Amino acid sequence: LYASETCRVEPRESRREVAAMEGAWRKVRKALGLRLCAHAPVAGSSQRRGTSGAGGGCRRDTAAALAGESGASMPAGALRRSKSGSRSASSSSKGKCAICFASMRSGQGQALFTAECSHMFHFHCISSNVKHGNYVCPVCRAKWKEIPYRSLSSNNSHGRIGGNQSLSPQQNPHVALHQQDRNRRRDVRRLHTSEPVDYNDDEPLQHKDAFDNLNIGSSKTAQISSYPEFQGVPQSSSLHGFDILIHLKAPTATFIGNSVDESSVRPSSRAPVDLVTVLDVSGSMAGSKLALLKQAMGFVVQHLGSSDRLSVIAFSSTARRLFPLRQMSHRGKQQALQAINSLGAGGGTNIADALKKAMKVIEDRRYRNSVCSIILLSDGQDTYSMSSNVQGTSAGHRSLVPSSILNDERHSVPLHAFGFGADHDSDTLHSIAEASGGTFSFIEDEGVMQDAFAQCIGGLLSVVVQEMRLTMECVHPGVQLCSIKCGSYPSKLASDGRHGSVDIGQLYADEERDVLLSVTIPKSHEQTSLIRVACAYRDPVKNEVVKVQGDEVKIMRPTSGVPESLSIEVDRERNRIQAANSIESARAAAERGALSEAVTILEDCRKVLAQSFASQSGDHLCIALDAELREMQERMANRQLYETSGRAYMLSGLSSHSWQRATARGDSTDSSTLVYSYQTPSMVQMLQHSQNHCPSPQGQRSQVRSARSFPEKPRAR
């Protein structure tokens, strides 16, 4: 083991400080003035390398020992004794590394580095920290002038330098000390520009050995159900605006035990994921926020499978890619966790630059997993890309979104945005998610960040349907389609009203979608066939197209107007659409400053829902909608409350209803909430993993509902 330490005095230090140094420091300063290097004694040997007189002033416990395991050599100028003296450095060496929390006792075969602020770290930990662009101390946030890095030119695999070996300037620490001042700026600039021009350095996909011989999952496909508003219409009646509900349900997950836990999943039983996480590390994320973000990302990394690939973009004033798309094998997870733990907070918020890098990672990849998605988390407002004249407008929000996302009609890469805390720009994050086909979640409480991520990951790891398109055509010549109500999903209606389509896109296992059609019905004396419905989608696991044909929707034509009972399925969907429209109207009123008007809009909607047939029948969804509207009313009690939480809560609710997909808002991830959250069994199980993995500090977090306890929607015809 070869230990070396060099100590350099900054020119700006006053003569008084120099005079106060101990005798040993004077010897070191004199040695440096003579262009010499001071070395610590070699363990187990009475001989000294270099100049013995100067070496006596350097302590071994404050040196960086170049361990044989890392095989790294480092410029001597990058190692300094702290200004606070050897006492604090010596004490820190007896503690734990602030990055990996492992012991830093000398003689354990790991290189140690003492920073100029006196804090000590494992050399491989701190070099990784610097590699990813962090040039401040992870402990005290002091900005470093001396940057530790690993020299790539050393050919010595064990970090040893022989006594009579000829050294190149790159290998010789004496020469490196002479050149350090001249090369320091160039080295720092190289670290800032280390990212490649093209992000085509993603790791190859895993080979699917014996994949064809494996009977994957069940043979079930997506299901289509149809519910007319009434089962019969009198022969003499012609109706305009007769509603028909089309209900879709994705296949059940093909996982063993129906679990998303990687330990109980077949290697090829689900579609692998390419995931790019975009993380805000601006100055406002310092402290507990950043710590919780690292914890949440650690949970995500641990629950990705070996076939999944992850890349992380960190952004503040600028964005940087921490590592390319990398398989989450055991080694990949270790490297990802190390990079995530090296993050530090500081700077502004540049969302646009971060999204461009994220899309570049996806567009430049050489290999492609069947599922791809982006997760964006931010706690602030973009301060770089939105000019003052468009701030807060839809045009300003769209300026942050890469054109490739805006032009993606099929929403093949959904972006799921998470607004953290009271100061994030919920309008911007909601607009970005909406443009990509993703969801917007409001993380109000710091403690539920991991749960919010877990719910999202639980869905992404259970994708069973892609590129789904629902088609409908009229059967009877007198029947015409009037409208298609499907939230934010793109729909097309033919000019003649005879056929239409809805692009559903991606579905998680057991996920459900409702589409409400409105048609005209002519007079007729016999049973009338209204519409014929079908869907086609791609199975991402088997990579094959699946077509499903639904039954024709027919109604009876009695001779007299016999009272028919209203379909509870149709009435339930009407209530959900009406609630979503009322939330949008109330939000528009609140943005104008008319909070009282917004509260009145929600109150009127609650009264209408209470009088509906579904609500009076005790429908679970109607109860949940009423609880959600009441919560929104409470969050608009005053302007400050609306600004800090009301707007984000409403936007997250709108996102959930428009895509019919679970989002995190308030306590929506808690089993005790009344808010209907569209959770799937896979999401619930991942939430259970999250809450068992890291319970809340109070230990009072409620357990989420199990998949079996979900209230079933009655589907009476």
Side-chain angles (χ1 to χ4, degrees):
L1 183 68
Y2 173 63
S4 73
E5 178 187 28
T6 54
C7 308
R8 190 176 61 81
V9 179
E10 292 289 339
R12 295 183 178 179
E13 291 184 339
S14 63
R15 295 180 179 178
R16 181 176 300 177
E17 291 174 331
V18 175
M21 292 182 179
E22 298 293 340
W25 281 97
R26 293 193 186 97
K27 295 179 181 179
V28 172
R29 182 173 180 272
K30 181 177 179 181
L32 292 174
L34 296 173
R35 302 290 188 185
L36 298 176
C37 181
H39 295 275
V42 178
S45 174
S46 59
Q47 295 180 353
R48 300 177 185 269
R49 298 181 186 269
T51 306
S52 60
C58 295
R59 296 177 49 135
R60 177 182 176 83
D61 58 5
T62 60
L66 301 181
E69 179 182 357
S70 64
S73 63
M74 186 168 54
L79 299 175
R80 296 184 55 199
R81 179 182 293 272
S82 67
K83 295 180 182 179
S84 57
S86 63
R87 181 178 179 180
S88 62
S90 177
S91 62
S92 67
S93 68
K94 299 176 183 179
K96 296 182 178 181
C97 174
I99 298 176
C100 70
F101 302 109
S103 174
M104 292 192 301
R105 296 184 181 275
S106 59
Q108 292 186 345
Q110 293 200 54
L112 304 179
F113 170 74
T114 303
E116 55 200 86
C117 58
S118 81
H119 293 114
M120 183 179 288
F121 312 92
H122 289 130
F123 175 69
H124 68 88
C125 292
I126 202 63
S127 62
S128 176
N129 203 50
V130 170
K131 172 185 175 183
H132 296 294
N134 192 9
Y135 309 121
V136 295
C137 176
V139 178
C140 65
R141 315 310 301 164
K143 188 174 182 180
W144 290 341
K145 296 180 180 178
E146 304 291 353
I147 307 299
Y149 69 93
R150 295 189 180 190
S151 172
L152 301 178
S153 58
S154 176
N155 296 323
N156 193 333
S157 60
H158 297 285
R160 298 177 182 271
I161 301 179
N164 52 4
Q165 182 179 358
S166 177
L167 301 179
S168 66
Q170 290 83 4
Q171 295 171 313
N172 194 332
H174 297 259
V175 179
L177 173 63
H178 302 162
Q179 297 178 344
Q180 202 273 340
D181 285 332
R182 182 170 65 250
N183 296 337
R184 185 191 308 160
R185 292 184 180 180
R186 184 175 59 191
D187 293 337
V188 174
R189 189 182 304 115
R190 177 178 58 82
L191 287 170
H192 278 291
T193 59
S194 60
E195 294 186 15
V197 176
D198 296 319
Y199 290 165
N200 57 358
D201 51 355
D202 54 307
E203 282 191 342
L205 306 180
Q206 275 194 350
H207 295 292
K208 299 179 180 179
D209 297 330
F211 182 82
D212 296 333
N213 298 325
L214 182 63
N215 184 16
I216 304 168
S218 66
S219 59
K220 291 183 178 180
T221 60
Q223 302 174 12
I224 304 178
S225 304
S226 302
Y227 305 94
E229 183 178 353
F230 297 101
Q231 292 295 325
V233 174
Q235 295 178 0
S236 59
S237 298
S238 61
L239 300 180
H240 181 80
F242 183 86
D243 289 337
I244 303 172
L245 175 69
I246 307 300
H247 178 74
L248 301 171
K249 185 173 182 180
T252 300
T254 56
F255 312 137
I256 298 177
N258 200 27
S259 172
V260 293
D261 188 5
E262 181 66 23
S263 62
S264 61
V265 176
R266 289 186 183 132
S268 52
S269 63
R270 68 166 176 85
V273 179
D274 280 346
L275 179 64
V276 180
T277 56
V278 185
L279 309 177
D280 186 346
V281 292
S282 58
S284 57
M285 286 291 293
S288 62
K289 286 184 178 181
L290 186 60
L292 289 169
L293 175 60
K294 293 179 180 180
Q295 175 182 296
M297 281 300 301
F299 176 85
V300 171
V301 169
Q302 292 297 341
H303 284 78
L304 292 176
S306 57
S307 297
D308 302 315
R309 299 189 301 174
L310 174 70
S311 180
V312 177
I313 306 293
F315 72 97
S316 53
S317 301
T318 57
R320 65 184 185 278
R321 186 190 65 162
L322 299 189
F323 53 87
L325 276 172
R326 179 174 295 161
Q327 288 182 358
M328 288 296 99
S329 59
H330 178 70
R331 175 176 174 80
K333 288 180 178 181
Q334 285 186 324
Q335 294 173 338
L337 290 173
Q338 188 180 49
I340 292 168
N341 287 330
S342 72
L343 291 173
T349 306
N350 195 337
I351 296 177
D353 189 32
L355 292 183
K356 289 178 181 178
K357 270 193 167 58
M359 285 306 301
K360 185 173 177 61
V361 169
I362 292 172
E363 292 169 351
D364 290 358
R365 55 187 172 152
R366 294 176 298 168
Y367 312 96
R368 295 174 183 266
N369 270 327
S370 53
V371 179
C372 183
S373 187
I374 299 174
I375 290 179
L376 165 66
L377 180 135
S378 177
D379 76 328
Q381 303 193 16
D382 188 277
T383 55
Y384 287 83
S385 305
M386 293 178 63
S387 58
S388 59
N389 61 333
V390 297
Q391 188 79 27
T393 65
S394 59
H397 299 150
R398 291 176 68 89
S399 68
L400 301 178
V401 185
S403 58
S404 55
I405 290 182
L406 295 176
N407 298 331
D408 185 8
E409 295 182 356
R410 292 192 173 186
H411 295 152
S412 58
V413 185
L415 186 152
H416 301 286
F418 294 82
F420 188 21
D423 299 325
H424 74 276
D425 190 345
S426 56
D427 275 326
T428 296
L429 296 181
H430 175 263
S431 298
I432 292 172
E434 189 76 8
S436 69
T439 56
F440 165 67
S441 293
F442 170 38
I443 304 177
E444 183 176 17
D445 182 7
E446 293 181 354
V448 301
M449 182 188 293
Q450 180 172 297
D451 287 350
F453 276 21
Q455 179 174 264
C456 182
I457 292 298
L460 293 176
L461 297 184
S462 66
V463 173
V464 292
V465 168
Q466 286 185 314
E467 302 173 11
M468 172 180 275
R469 170 168 287 187
L470 176 69
T471 58
M472 64 285 302
E473 60 177 343
C474 299
V475 180
H476 191 281
V479 175
Q480 282 188 323
L481 278 168
C482 301
S483 65
I484 302 175
K485 297 178 181 178
C486 52
S488 295
Y489 291 101
S491 63
K492 294 180 181 179
L493 181 59
S495 58
D496 60 359
R498 294 293 296 170
H499 54 87
S501 65
V502 180
D503 289 327
I504 301 296
Q506 191 178 91
L507 288 181
Y508 304 150
D510 298 291
E511 205 167 27
E512 302 178 29
R513 293 291 181 270
D514 288 323
V515 176
L516 192 63
L517 308 179
S518 181
V519 301
T520 60
I521 298 179
K523 296 178 182 180
S524 178
H525 295 285
E526 49 188 31
Q527 186 182 55
T528 306
S529 295
L530 303 180
I531 60 171
R532 185 182 297 112
V533 183
C535 74
Y537 63 90
R538 185 172 64 85
D539 185 327
V541 177
K542 299 179 181 179
N543 195 25
E544 62 184 23
V545 176
V546 180
K547 296 182 179 180
V548 180
Q549 183 68 49
D551 297 331
E552 286 187 2
V553 181
K554 301 178 180 180
I555 57 173
M556 305 301 294
R557 306 307 298 264
T559 56
S560 59
V562 179
E564 291 279 350
S565 60
L566 176 65
S567 168
I568 193 172
E569 289 83 9
V570 172
D571 196 51
R572 178 193 295 117
E573 182 63 10
R574 285 174 175 171
N575 289 341
R576 193 187 67 82
I577 293 174
Q578 183 168 0
N581 292 337
S582 297
I583 295 172
E584 180 62 44
S585 299
R587 173 180 168 267
E591 294 300 322
R592 297 195 308 266
L595 288 178
S596 59
E597 178 185 347
V599 172
T600 301
I601 292 173
L602 298 180
E603 183 64 28
D604 292 342
C605 181
R606 291 179 62 193
K607 292 178 180 178
V608 172
L609 295 183
Q611 298 300 319
S612 68
F613 172 68
S615 180
Q616 293 182 356
S617 300
D619 181 66
H620 171 76
L621 176 59
C622 294
I623 297 174
L625 290 174
D626 182 77
E628 183 178 11
L629 296 176
R630 184 174 64 252
E631 176 76 13
M632 292 179 180
Q633 286 179 300
E634 295 174 357
R635 291 175 183 266
M636 290 191 291
N638 55 67
R639 192 69 194 174
Q640 181 180 2
L641 185 58
Y642 175 75
E643 294 285 347
T644 55
S645 70
R647 177 188 291 115
Y649 189 92
M650 295 181 77
L651 287 173
S652 183
L654 282 174
S655 179
S656 182
H657 290 306
S658 64
W659 297 110
Q660 299 180 51
R661 177 161 284 171
T663 62
R665 60 189 188 281
D667 59 353
S668 67
T669 57
D670 194 331
S671 63
S672 63
T673 184
L674 291 176
V675 176
Y676 187 76
S677 61
Y678 302 95
Q679 287 176 343
T680 66
S682 299
M683 292 179 176
V684 171
Q685 290 179 4
M686 190 63 81
L687 278 169
Q688 289 175 335
H689 289 314
S690 172
Q691 296 176 1
N692 293 333
H693 175 75
C694 186
S696 61
Q698 294 80 9
Q700 298 177 347
R701 185 188 297 178
S702 301
Q703 292 295 323
V704 294
R705 290 169 288 186
S706 66
R708 296 179 181 176
S709 66
F710 273 171
E712 290 291 337
K713 297 181 181 179
R715 295 290 174 189
R717 290 187 180 273

